[in-house]
Amino acid sequence: MQSSVKHKLLEAFSKADGDFVSGQALADIIGCSRTAVWKHIESLRQEGFELEAVRKKGYRITSKPDKVSENELLIGLETVRLGKKVVFIESVESTQKEAHKLAEEAEEGTLVIAEEQTAGRGRMTREWHSPKYTGIWMSLILKPNLPPYKAPQFTLITAVAVTEAIRDAAGVMAEIKWPNDILLNGKKITGILTELQADSDQIRSIIIGIGMNVNQRQFPEELSNIATSISIEKGETVPRAKLVQAIMKNLELYYDEYMTNGFGLIKDKWESYAISIGRHIIARTVTGTIRGKALGITDEGVLKLQDENGMIHDIYSADIEI
Ligand code: BTN
């Protein structure tokens, strides 16, 4: 099936919001006969969509395949700018690397997403395990009119947006661990990698990489103590496209909030979702280990840690143990 026909069909079903769309209406939208509509409906079924057909009512989608390609993401996407342009690649080394290549030409809100990454990367050049069809591996390109020193705040904006998306769309209590991990029942389900293309005084693009463990049933042994997936913890699989859509919606909301009113609301939300704030933690930095109470974060995302002697330390980068 031609992708423009498929796009039109899926858009019509999306607008109908679960209701029936008549065969004639679909024929008019696509510009074909009703027999051809039937053939297109069969093609959608071949791709894993389930459609109900009722005489005199027409067709409606009852379930979508769990894919994260362009069409699945566009049906039901509630944003104005973010995720409207999707670059879907079935298998890629790293969506982050692809987004870097596309950033200069890309429009703001372009989302690069893959079913599998063969060389996904995390913070501090760590490897990011990204097996096929089970997770969300994506990189979003933003172009805020801001100086580069503001960029770290986008990691915090993203953490808030993603945490709320997981809570709402998957119904599980995700929490934030400073600086940019999202945990479920104490194990990591999501990592965020924020990177920049910038001049000395102006951001050209921010590339926000998000890796989320959604439907994996198992992890390699070296990860199984520290990482988990939403489906392992919840006991059922979760539609990935719905999660991506919720992330895009929240990110657009908090991005707009940030550009209009500044960082205040986002900082409050970040602190309320963070597991470490108010608790005694161990911060292992490159210069040594500090034990103390996590007081909160600054507007730049720096962690304030008060040691046993009452001295307050600014932690810029560390591994945190709770
Ligand atoms: C972390 O170290 O916690 C950050 C992990 C970020 C992984 C994502 S997956 C999509 C994007 N592409 C990559 O290669 N990395 C990021």
Side-chain angles (χ1 to χ4, degrees), residues 94-96 117 120-123 128 138-139 188 191-192 210-211:
S94 155
T95 58
Q96 202 73 358
Q117 294 186 121
R121 54 191 177 80
R123 283 194 312 130
W128 184 263
M138 66 182 186
S139 299
K188 183 159 169 172
I192 300 163
I210 300 172

Side-chain angles (χ1 to χ4, degrees), residues 44-255:
L44 284 181
R45 287 195 172 119
Q46 304 274 312
E47 288 187 31
F49 288 88
E50 285 176 22
L51 288 119
E52 187 182 3
V54 173
R55 268 172 70 91
K56 302 218 167 106
K57 282 187 167 177
Y59 302 93
R60 69 186 182 107
I61 289 188
T62 51
S63 101
K64 296 185 263 172
D66 187 42
K67 289 192 184 158
V68 289
S69 53
E70 190 181 1
N71 286 317
E72 284 73 29
L73 295 183
L74 291 178
I75 314 177
L77 181 70
E78 291 176 36
T79 58
V80 178
R81 302 181 322 281
L82 304 196
K84 287 292 200 191
K85 169 89 181 106
V86 175
V87 178
F88 170 76
I89 311 164
E90 178 85 9
S91 177
V92 72
E93 268 182 41
S94 155
T95 58
Q96 202 73 358
K97 194 169 158 188
E98 289 305 310
H100 271 288
K101 285 193 237 160
L102 296 172
E104 193 160 328
E105 303 287 311
E107 60 191 67
E108 171 158 87
T110 299
L111 182 68
V112 183
I113 186 160
E115 288 289 7
E116 168 190 54
Q117 294 186 121
T118 53
R121 54 191 177 80
R123 283 194 312 130
M124 306 191 218
T125 65
R126 288 174 185 151
E127 189 189 323
W128 184 263
H129 180 60
S130 325
K132 206 165 194 176
Y133 300 132
T134 56
I136 294 172
W137 326 122
M138 66 182 186
S139 299
L140 180 72
I141 301 170
L142 297 182
K143 303 196 165 187
N145 185 11
L146 290 171
Y149 74 88
K150 297 274 189 191
Q153 292 181 327
F154 280 79
T155 303
L156 306 172
I157 295 170
T158 306
V160 168
V162 171
T163 302
E164 287 187 3
I166 296 172
R167 289 183 180 193
D168 294 346
V172 291
M173 277 304 273
E175 296 174 299
I176 301 172
K177 181 179 165 203
W178 184 91
N180 58 0
D181 292 349
I182 295 173
L183 309 189
L184 188 54
N185 301 334
K187 289 185 177 178
K188 183 159 169 172
I189 50 167
T190 299
I192 300 163
L193 181 66
T194 308
E195 294 178 325
L196 263 193
Q197 292 185 5
D199 299 322
S200 58
D201 56 348
Q202 171 72 42
I203 292 173
R204 281 187 276 123
S205 299
I206 297 191
I207 294 149
I208 302 176
I210 300 172
M212 187 183 293
N213 302 327
V214 184
N215 289 327
Q216 290 98 318
R217 296 305 307 159
Q218 59 192 28
F219 282 84
E221 203 174 321
E222 66 277 14
L223 293 176
S224 59
N225 284 335
I226 50 169
T228 189
S229 72
I230 297 176
S231 104
I232 289 174
E233 301 302 314
K234 192 175 152 91
E236 59 188 76
T237 56
V238 177
R240 289 172 301 149
K242 198 172 148 201
L243 271 164
V244 175
Q245 289 168 345
I247 295 169
M248 289 300 113
K249 185 178 169 193
N250 289 349
L251 256 175
E252 187 165 280
L253 185 85
Y254 287 120
Y255 180 26

